[in-house]
Amino acid sequence: MAQTPGMEDFSDLLLHVYRLAHEQPLHAFQDASLDALRRVLPFDSSMWGSATPGVAGIDIHTLHLDRQPAEMLSAYEAVKHLDTAAARVMQAPRATLGFDAAAQFGAPHQKAISAYGRRFGQRHFFITSTANPANGLTQWITLFRAHEGACGTERERTLLAAVAPHFHQAVGYNRMRHLEALAPDHAPGGDALKPAQGERAQAVADLRGTVYHATPAFDAMLRTEWSAQPARRLPPPLLQHFASGSARFAGHTLVVRCHVERDLMFVNARPRCAADQLTPREWQIGWLLAQGLSHKEIARRLDRAPATVRNHIQTIYRRLDVGSVAALIAELHAALD
């Protein structure tokens, strides 16, 4: 077993993990962070997830497995009602435990979870958790050691308790950075976009609609469409809309777009604007106008009569209540999701 880490090691670790949050893509960040942790606090495998308390054990919302097979989750679901360690950490706002599986799961009625642990090389554990009262979720990281002599120490447990909240904070930074990167940076015609004008709000939620991270205006913006909507939850009609396969919701007051990746929903919301009234053809012509094309050039590109295109342009200007191409561009930019 490697030498017990000191606080200087963990200080360097935190700086490295926050740097990873800004540099690593979404799919790589958690593995890279756990590898960094492994260098100062050795372990063989781990899992990093979120859950709520359930009648028969924890109810897992998200889960990232590190050096464990995918079937571990289904095997755990069959024995989670016997997991007394998970039940303990779920009862506290913050908790970090270190224990030996044989001692924790040694009761006669826990034979199934004991066998599960042997199957997946989980002889010694560290579990660290942080509850979020805003959304009711507990985020946790569990580290496993497979060898009989690889017992954890109290110093390791204490240091893990100190660093774990930073890991949860860093994963939030990484997810929100990913969400920002999903925003369009080019107009339909290919021109680079200026930052979107007007109020926008973003959030990251799980597939059940629980919001993990959000910009300050997100909950208030949802309530303009659903007045009774509780905080840190996606409204059921919105969740059902996205579950049906649609990536865009257009309501009375809001337009909301969702991108699903790694069992998370990356949500962008904005108020409805005048350009939302445009038909797909008018939208296309509007952007061609924004690129500086004349109505005759647009007609040739779209294989339409110049008079037809001119009528479309008049309709666009009337619907947007604009009188110049500059004002048209501003209105079109406001409608970009």
Side-chain angles (χ1 to χ4, degrees):
M1 184 61 62
Q3 183 178 358
T4 301
M7 289 305 298
E8 183 175 349
D9 299 303
F10 274 74
S11 178
D12 292 341
L13 171 64
L14 293 182
L15 292 174
H16 182 58
V17 168
Y18 281 118
R19 184 167 64 249
L20 290 174
H22 289 277
E23 295 176 353
Q24 289 291 313
L26 179 74
H27 70 271
F29 169 72
Q30 286 177 289
D31 281 332
S33 297
L34 290 167
D35 284 341
L37 177 60
R38 186 179 278 112
R39 289 193 288 271
V40 297
L41 202 169
F43 56 94
D44 297 302
S45 62
S46 65
M47 59 182 179
W48 184 347
S50 61
T52 51
V55 176
I58 63 172
D59 188 7
I60 295 174
H61 284 230
T62 63
L63 185 66
H64 176 81
L65 294 176
D66 162 56
R67 302 187 184 183
Q68 285 282 356
E71 59 265 27
M72 195 209 85
L73 176 57
S74 59
Y76 178 74
E77 286 292 325
V79 299
K80 68 181 184 180
H81 62 289
L82 303 173
D83 189 349
T84 50
R88 284 176 61 190
V89 299
M90 294 293 285
Q91 293 172 1
R94 281 180 60 180
T96 302
L97 307 178
F99 57 88
D100 174 76
Q104 181 71 33
F105 307 130
H109 70 280
Q110 291 178 304
K111 289 182 179 179
I113 194 169
S114 181
Y116 153 85
R118 290 193 298 272
R119 175 184 172 188
F120 293 103
Q122 301 172 6
R123 181 175 292 272
H124 300 285
F125 287 64
F126 287 110
I127 300 179
T128 183
S129 67
T130 302
N132 184 344
N135 60 16
L137 282 171
T138 293
Q139 298 181 86
W140 91 93
I141 299 172
T142 304
L143 311 180
F144 304 114
R145 290 173 174 171
H147 301 291
E148 184 174 357
C151 300
T153 68
E154 175 59 19
R155 182 172 177 80
E156 288 176 320
R157 188 200 68 79
T158 301
L159 291 172
L160 179 59
V163 77
H166 296 277
F167 272 63
H168 298 313
Q169 187 72 47
V171 79
Y173 290 154
N174 181 257
R175 289 167 176 172
M176 292 302 287
R177 175 181 169 275
H178 182 71
L179 179 55
E180 291 172 3
L182 294 173
D185 58 0
H186 286 79
D191 294 333
L193 288 173
K194 297 178 182 179
Q197 300 298 311
E199 188 179 10
R200 304 273 169 146
Q202 296 83 33
V204 179
D206 62 32
L207 298 181
R208 304 186 191 195
T210 301
V211 173
Y212 289 65
H213 324 283
T215 55
F218 187 75
D219 285 332
M221 188 172 288
L222 288 185
R223 291 193 185 102
T224 66
E225 184 81 23
W226 299 279
S227 59
Q229 176 59 28
R232 295 289 171 165
R233 293 287 304 175
L234 296 183
L238 184 62
L239 193 60
Q240 292 164 11
H241 184 81
F242 291 146
S244 71
S246 177
R248 187 176 188 270
F249 170 86
H252 297 292
T253 64
L254 290 182
V255 174
V256 187
R257 184 172 289 277
C258 174
H259 169 79
V260 177
E261 188 172 349
R262 297 182 67 81
D263 293 331
L264 292 170
M265 303 171 70
F266 295 85
V267 181
N268 277 283
R270 63 167 176 83
R272 283 189 68 95
C273 61
D276 290 318
Q277 306 173 60
L278 300 181
T279 66
R281 176 64 77 187
E282 290 166 353
W283 177 259
Q284 181 184 29
I285 291 172
W287 278 109
L288 292 173
L289 275 173
Q291 294 171 52
L293 276 66
S294 69
H295 79 280
K296 291 182 179 180
E297 290 170 328
I298 295 173
R300 284 195 295 271
R301 179 173 294 194
L302 300 182
D303 194 22
R304 292 290 186 271
T308 300
V309 172
R310 188 168 56 246
N311 289 337
H312 276 304
I313 293 172
Q314 291 172 350
T315 300
I316 292 168
Y317 273 64
R318 184 176 65 254
R319 286 186 173 180
L320 301 187
D321 193 23
V322 296
S324 68
V325 172
L328 167 68
I329 292 172
E331 291 292 339
L332 293 176
H333 277 220
L336 286 170
D337 298 333

